[in-house]
Amino acid sequence: MEDREKPGKRTELEGKGEDTRVSAHRNPYEFLGGRPFSVPPPTNVDPFKNGTERIDGIYEVLKIVICLPIAAIRLVIFGVALCVGYIATRLALAGWKDRQNPMPVWRSRIMWITRISARCILFSFGYHWIRRKGKPAPREIAPIVVSNHVSYIEPIFYFYELFPTMVASESHDSIPFVGTIIRAMQVIYVNRFSHSSRKNAVNEIKRKASSDRFPRVLLFPEGTTTNGRFLISFQLGAFIPGFAIQPIIIRFPHVHFDQSWGYISLGKLMFRMFTQFHNFMEVEYLPVVFPLENQKETPAHFAKRTRLAVSRTLNVAQTSHSYGDIMLLTKASESQQENPSRYMVEMAQVESLFHIKSLEAIDFLDKFLSMNPDSSGHVALNGFLGALRLKASNLCNEIFQFIDVENNGYISFKQFLYASSHVLKQPLFRQVCEQAFRDCDAGGNGHVSAVQFGESIRPAIPEMTKDEVQELFGLFEAAGNGRSSREEFLTCLRKNPLLIALFSPHPCHARSSETTAGDIWL
């Protein structure tokens, strides 16, 4: 078994150019096996934050006041264009039942009315002219196009410019007016949290991209909007089919008003757009990126080459953030944390290292927030022990020090997530959990009582009183019936993997049963 790395020793992450921190304290999880645990340093990068979230400066205030009458006219244009486009789309879709095949030509011609309406909507938002560089590649050469995603404006533009088949979240189908219009594009719906849905979406992308009868397929591989100053991780859906891809980049040059969606509500962003003299937008069609023919290229490598081409043209840095970071940020914001962006962890990197899903990270954030972090997002030992219902002891101090890789006396959410994920993904974690339940269930009844649980963990934390053991046991008995079934027991350990240290097969943790957890790795 490898020893835990000492400070200064290079780690796998450091080999990739990442500075990391590793703890010098004893590892209470050595009995699980696996690689050393390290945490990249925190980053102040926020690729989602809008640069002009507040209305600052006399010039901007005066401009808004002057543009209020213009905004009223623009709102009328927006409403009329939306209604005309909606009616035209309903006519184009009327009686059309064969949605698996391309839209008939005569229906597509009716959709030109909706496309012109989309250009009028862009005009109402202040995009009176749009600067273009380069040209779309022929559909037979590049059946798939990908674009960076900064605002809700890009889909409207692409609808007018290319009329592609887009890949969108299932939730978009229920948006009034807009849902009907995007259905006419034979949109490919996907539930990002469903493996089967993502798999079906990839199959649909491949099916439609392989046939010239369908429009080209458009994807926003970042999966969410950013502020345009960074390029976050790419999802692989566009690259799995293996077709040539044309990247398109969109810029929104500005001085006083950042047009990125960011944390701004849709209504506020629309109001700000309506009250600008003109909003600038630039579109650049990049050279087609072809899959490598002389070698079998993985989708990840194909995505990496495409992402590099986009970032170089945009002249922006790449980060490992993903939609999962938006989920974490939203959760922290809903919990009224002072600086929600501190809880972003670059989820794409976390998923790559530990195979942890975003929803699992949200559960870990829930647990961390129950520790009452301070205004800087840090948690001290007492808050950590309280949330896990533990008592100060040598073992609990070791668990806390294991997470506190920088030896600061407090932990961050990123450290807590990395530590929990590291333990959860250890080779022997599931086996040890199963063995821990069997050790507690000495009678083989299929459930564990509070008394049995207390006897099992007493060697680990002998200082715990009967009431404290009962309180900790409450985590393991979800039904509240005084006993924990196997499923409840294992579920608790999956959600609180750090607690597995209570069942370490240390010599002082001897069990009365003939078969102990130590048998797993002897």
Side-chain angles (χ1 to χ4, degrees), residues 9 117 197 210 267 314 337 395:
K9 184 177 179 181
S117 298
S197 177
S210 62
L314 281 172
Q337 298 301 307
L395 176 61

Side-chain angles (χ1 to χ4, degrees), residues 72-93:
I73 298 173
R74 288 175 170 174
L75 183 60
V76 172
I77 296 174
F78 169 79
V80 171
L82 184 61
C83 289
V84 170
Y86 175 75
I87 293 171
T89 303
R90 291 297 298 267
L91 289 174
L93 295 178

Side-chain angles (χ1 to χ4, degrees), residues 159-181:
F159 177 83
Y160 162 71
E161 181 91 342
L162 301 176
F163 192 55
T165 293
M166 287 200 296
V167 179
S169 171
E170 291 178 346
S171 60
H172 292 170
D173 187 68
S174 59
I175 301 176
F177 295 98
V178 176
T180 300
I181 294 175

Side-chain angles (χ1 to χ4, degrees), residues 362-416:
I362 292 294
D363 289 338
F364 285 126
L365 179 56
D366 264 330
K367 177 64 66 174
F368 186 82
L369 293 177
S370 70
M371 301 176 189
N372 297 316
D374 59 23
S375 58
S376 60
H378 295 144
V379 167
L381 177 62
N382 288 338
F384 172 78
L385 296 179
L388 291 182
R389 306 183 188 182
L390 297 174
K391 185 175 182 178
S393 64
N394 289 336
L395 176 61
C396 293
N397 287 338
E398 289 176 354
I399 294 174
F400 187 80
Q401 291 167 351
F402 170 78
I403 306 171
D404 179 19
V405 294
E406 295 186 355
N407 303 319
N408 292 321
Y410 54 78
I411 60 175
S412 67
F413 171 63
K414 189 171 187 176
Q415 292 171 339
F416 177 71

Side-chain angles (χ1 to χ4, degrees), residues 334-380:
E334 291 173 350
S335 301
Q336 298 181 340
Q337 298 301 307
E338 187 168 322
N339 190 349
S341 62
R342 292 181 183 272
Y343 296 90
M344 294 190 295
V345 295
E346 297 193 83
M347 268 304 300
Q349 186 178 52
V350 175
E351 292 172 356
S352 174
L353 290 172
F354 304 110
H355 306 290
I356 289 291
K357 298 179 181 178
S358 297
L359 292 178
E360 293 178 279
I362 292 294
D363 289 338
F364 285 126
L365 179 56
D366 264 330
K367 177 64 66 174
F368 186 82
L369 293 177
S370 70
M371 301 176 189
N372 297 316
D374 59 23
S375 58
S376 60
H378 295 144
V379 167

